[in-house]
Amino acid sequence: MATWLRIPSMKVTEHFRRAKSTLFSIEILPPLKGASIQSIFDGIDPLVEFNPSFIDVTYHREEYIQRKNRKGELKRVKIRKRPGTVGISAAIQARYKIDTVPHMICGGFSLEETENALLDLHFLGINNVLALQGDMIKADGKFIPHPDGHTYANELVEQIVDMNKGKYLDSELQNVDKTDYCIGVAGYPEKHFACDDLDIDLVNLKRKVDAGAEYIVTQMFYDNQKFFNFAVRCRKAGINVPIIPGLKPIATKKQLEVLPRIFYVDIPEDLRKAVEACKDNDAVKQVGVEWAIQQSKELIDFGALCLHFYTMGRSEQTRAIAKAIF
Ligand code: FAD
């Protein structure tokens, strides 16, 4: 472990074990390329007083754009618009002494690139990762794996577990340093969009847990009953690791259409009507906060170990919710 950096890196599961009440965690995304890391700190600073147990940092894969080459010809090139997950994770741990959970994705990575990224994190003293398939490149229309990479998150979990056992891709390496990752994975109370049936999706979720994932963070949802049903069905399917609800307060009228389309989540009728009745997005934000406070209270009563907030770098609503709850 990188003790010289004097950073904490406690495993997420250790936070759960030590918790005396429901924990608070947040998720941020790297800024667009060219922006300063200060924008990340500005999004975290207002939330520090609520003691987030860990901060997830998303990973964003490459996208296609049209760009002129030196000869002035328009060419389709792949670029990463939000790089920096590893560096941001290390910078947050060093600055705030709060554990980070960088996301690792299958898409766009060969097995070797995955191994190298995991080594970077290991050398930086980061012992948590969330293992994901990763979003497709929009222009591809479906998820296309790297020719030398993983297709599904359970395969990525297996690779990380192998490294924890000291098994690297090059089996001839001698005296290898074992990594020590606590691995989380994603779950979908309203089913993953690419799967026809929630029961099959749960079989696939169980594959990730059987491979070594120690906890699940869910996709956002606005109807708690969907989360409660999901938790019950997970237990029936033999998935016994902690399930952490993911929450994202609604902030604009446009999200009534965007969130179901992008994240395949339902907006309950009461919430929809309340948002539609708002005269502007300031009023929508207030409705979003009140809805999330109510969700949070019920989830705490249900026994949620931790509430995970998708802040997307904007802290105002999450701060208002945290003030009321933590
Ligand atoms: P998987 O678990 O691999 O599942 C994908 C689909 O394949 C599902 O339909 C599943 O049922 C099916 N499946 C799984 N395993 C198998 C198998 N072995 N055989 C056949 N079918 C299988 N995206 C990003 O790009 N970057 C991020 O940082 C990011 N963070 C996220 C955080 C959370 C908490 C969540 C919920 C999602 C996040 N996403 C992120 C989005 C995620 O990458 C997409 O939802 C992706 O489409 C699925 O990822 P997964 O890890 O759940 O995939």
Side-chain angles (χ1 to χ4, degrees):
M1 202 189 51
T3 44
W4 55 272
L5 275 175
R6 303 185 141 279
I7 49 184
S9 208
M10 193 158 88
K11 291 181 178 180
V12 165
T13 45
E14 187 56 28
H15 283 283
F16 296 158
R17 264 191 287 278
R18 293 187 188 189
K20 295 202 169 65
S21 56
T22 303
L23 302 178
F24 168 58
S25 64
I26 61 171
E27 183 159 318
I28 61 159
L29 75 171
L32 286 167
K33 194 179 226 173
S36 141
I37 196 166
Q38 189 57 44
S39 62
I40 293 289
F41 299 151
D42 291 345
I44 295 173
D45 285 346
L47 302 174
V48 169
E49 69 180 271
F50 305 105
N51 293 319
S53 298
F54 53 93
I55 299 178
D56 277 51
V57 185
T58 55
Y59 207 108
H60 296 260
R61 65 174 306 182
E62 65 279 19
E63 294 168 44
Y64 294 114
I65 58 156
Q66 298 283 340
R67 181 180 278 167
K68 277 188 184 157
N69 65 13
R70 285 195 203 140
K71 292 181 194 158
E73 301 157 336
L74 262 187
K75 293 274 173 199
R76 193 165 93 135
V77 290
K78 268 187 191 176
I79 55 140
R80 229 178 254 285
K81 288 191 179 166
R82 293 183 185 272
T85 301
V86 171
I88 290 168
S89 302
I92 292 172
Q93 282 203 176
R95 182 179 168 106
Y96 298 99
K97 316 285 180 260
I98 296 173
D99 289 306
T100 49
V101 185
H103 292 188
M104 289 290 305
I105 58 173
C106 304
F109 279 81
S110 69
L111 300 194
E112 209 210 338
E113 286 161 347
T114 298
E115 185 172 89
N116 294 343
L118 287 164
L119 278 175
D120 283 342
L121 295 172
H122 176 58
F123 293 154
L124 286 164
I126 293 171
N127 289 332
N128 295 291
V129 284
L130 197 81
L132 299 142
Q133 182 184 60
D135 288 325
M136 63 179 147
I137 297 181
K138 271 192 211 98
D140 287 344
K142 63 175 183 177
F143 178 80
I144 299 175
H146 186 287
D148 299 315
H150 300 299
T151 303
Y152 296 113
N154 67 291
E155 300 161 14
L156 175 56
V157 173
E158 280 165 24
Q159 184 178 7
I160 303 168
V161 168
D162 276 349
M163 287 182 74
N164 281 350
K165 291 180 185 157
K167 196 172 152 201
Y168 286 48
L169 294 172
D170 179 354
S171 56
E172 289 177 13
L173 288 180
Q174 302 276 321
N175 301 319
V176 293
D177 186 22
K178 291 180 185 171
T179 58
D180 190 19
Y181 286 110
C182 168
I183 310 164
V185 288
Y188 302 83
E190 298 178 61
K191 188 180 80 50
H192 183 257
F193 71 91
C195 196
D196 293 336
D197 182 282
L198 182 57
D199 283 327
I200 299 172
D201 210 25
L202 290 179
V203 169
N204 291 326
L205 179 55
K206 188 165 184 297
R207 282 182 213 264
K208 299 192 266 194
V209 174
D210 291 346
E214 293 173 78
Y215 70 99
I216 295 162
V217 181
T218 77
Q219 182 60 280
M220 68 190 73
F221 56 90
Y222 294 91
D223 175 354
N224 279 351
Q225 197 54 49
K226 303 218 173 187
F227 176 81
F228 302 150
N229 295 347
F230 175 71
V232 169
R233 285 175 78 164
C234 281
R235 299 305 179 230
K236 276 196 187 143
I239 298 167
N240 292 313
V241 296
I243 305 171
I244 306 307
L247 298 170
K248 181 188 183 319
I250 206 156
T252 62
K253 281 196 182 190
K254 207 171 156 213
Q255 286 176 348
L256 288 179
E257 178 264 320
V258 171
L259 296 173
R261 181 164 48 80
I262 296 187
F263 298 105
Y264 300 85
V265 294
D266 282 343
I267 307 287
E269 211 36 50
D270 287 355
L271 176 58
R272 180 178 294 280
K273 279 188 188 148
V275 169
E276 278 167 354
C278 290
K279 62 177 191 323
D280 56 27
N281 279 337
D282 281 343
V284 175
K285 284 198 179 87
Q286 189 51 36
V287 167
V289 165
E290 282 161 19
W291 190 271
I293 288 174
Q294 190 53 33
Q295 277 196 280
S296 301
K297 286 181 179 164
E298 286 175 21
L299 289 161
I300 289 171
D301 288 346
F302 184 73
L305 272 177
C306 178
L307 302 181
H308 186 72
F309 289 89
Y310 296 106
T311 70
M312 318 311 276
R314 286 180 290 272
S315 52
E316 180 196 334
Q317 282 182 294
T318 307
R319 185 177 157 80
I321 300 158
K323 237 179 167 169
I325 298 291
F326 296 103

